Amino acid sequence: MKTIGLIGGMSWESTAHYYEKINQEIKKRMGGLHSAKIILNSLDFAPIAEWQENDQWEQVAGAVISAAQSLERAGADFIIICSNTGHKVAQQVSASVSIPFLHIAQAASDKIKENQLTKVGLLGTRYTMEQDFYKDVLKKNGIEVMIPDSEERKRLNNIIFNELCLGKINKRSSDFLEHVIENLINHGCQGIVLGCTELDMLIPDDEVSGVPVFDTTKIHVEAAVLRALKQQVR
């Protein structure tokens, strides 16, 4: 079994889900007392969130690169960032290490293509929805991307940072998210990408209104486990 290097803490709520789901997937595939070989470097999210807010992405990159390099030195065989927004600095991080880097948007693209879909709605932080670093990966895979309107994006971003990253689950927020999804479906989206690793707290189902929901945490975990078990998977 290969050792998975996790860059976490962005937020720790989603990182905890990664740890749990990776081990659940290992147990399902290998049985018995098997668990994942994991090295975790968990960052302090407060300064990172502030750098993101102030568009200081070089500082973000520096922190995440340092974490990636420490995981490589510690013996990780490959690296994943337990955050969609964190992939804003994915290219710099991947270039800073000699071990493979498993990109969450590419894993999501592979799953969307498996389902033979060509148009999806993307939900996440305002950085993920409004900037190109994530959407471009989907588009390069032949997938058209739609995002919510500006007011919906603003409210969704607030829900993520002021509720979900703090472990707060609000029924009104869940209802709002379903409303946003309905709007995207009405505009022709064939599927919905939960492009934030905390959003599965509000939408745990694999389908909404008959349309598939792509939980990127779950997809990323599955891709990581398959890589970790490459020698064992038939």
Side-chain angles (χ1 to χ4, degrees):
M1 187 191 304
K2 295 185 180 299
T3 300
I4 306 171
L6 301 184
I7 301 175
M10 302 179 290
S11 67
W12 73 261
E13 292 281 349
S14 64
T15 305
H17 292 175
Y18 264 87
Y19 184 83
E20 180 179 30
K21 290 178 179 181
I22 287 172
N23 280 293
Q24 287 173 342
E25 190 69 19
I26 289 287
K27 181 180 179 180
K28 182 174 75 174
R29 291 175 181 273
M30 299 189 71
L33 296 176
H34 284 289
S35 56
K37 294 175 66 178
I38 291 173
I39 304 172
L40 169 63
N41 189 318
S42 188
L43 302 174
D44 179 7
F45 191 35
I48 291 173
E50 184 175 344
W51 291 330
Q52 291 174 349
E53 179 71 23
N54 294 323
D55 203 29
Q56 296 174 300
W57 291 98
E58 286 305 313
Q59 284 89 333
V60 176
V64 182
I65 285 170
S66 178
Q69 292 174 339
S70 76
L71 291 172
E72 181 175 26
R73 290 194 301 269
D77 291 301
F78 65 95
I79 289 171
I80 65 176
I81 299 175
C82 304
S83 161
N84 283 275
T85 301
H87 282 72
K88 166 77 172 178
V89 299
Q91 288 185 339
Q92 299 100 303
V93 174
S94 180
S96 74
V97 293
S98 60
I99 56 178
F101 175 86
L102 192 57
H103 199 295
I104 193 169
Q106 184 57 54
S109 296
D110 293 342
K111 188 64 68 173
I112 293 165
K113 288 164 66 178
E114 281 180 24
N115 284 262
Q116 300 182 323
L117 305 185
T118 58
K119 184 175 182 178
V120 297
L122 174 63
L123 305 177
T125 65
R126 64 182 177 89
Y127 314 108
T128 299
M129 292 186 288
E130 295 174 0
Q131 298 182 24
D132 292 330
F133 68 91
Y134 199 96
K135 292 183 287 188
D136 279 352
V137 177
L138 299 175
K139 291 175 181 177
K140 286 177 183 176
N141 283 272
I143 302 164
E144 183 181 352
V145 181
M146 285 192 65
I147 59 175
D149 66 35
S150 59
E151 285 303 313
E152 290 174 336
R153 295 197 303 270
K154 181 179 179 180
R155 182 172 173 185
L156 182 55
N157 191 74
N158 286 335
I159 288 170
I160 291 169
F161 281 98
N162 298 322
E163 295 178 19
L164 300 182
C165 287
L166 300 174
K168 299 176 182 177
I169 310 299
N170 189 312
K171 177 64 165 58
R172 287 190 302 173
S173 297
S174 179
D175 292 342
F176 167 74
L177 187 55
E178 291 189 15
H179 169 74
V180 172
I181 290 173
E182 291 286 348
N183 285 344
L184 290 169
I185 292 171
N186 290 337
H187 283 84
C189 290
Q190 303 162 322
I192 302 297
V193 177
L194 301 184
C196 170
T197 49
E198 286 87 8
L199 282 177
D200 62 351
M201 301 181 195
L202 294 182
I203 302 290
D205 300 323
D206 293 331
E207 188 176 286
V208 174
S209 298
V211 167
V213 172
F214 296 93
D215 177 353
T216 54
T217 302
K218 181 179 178 181
I219 292 168
H220 209 196
V221 161
E222 182 180 346
V225 168
L226 287 175
R227 182 177 287 267
L229 299 181
K230 187 174 182 180
Q231 302 305 314
Q232 286 86 1
V233 175
R234 296 177 182 178

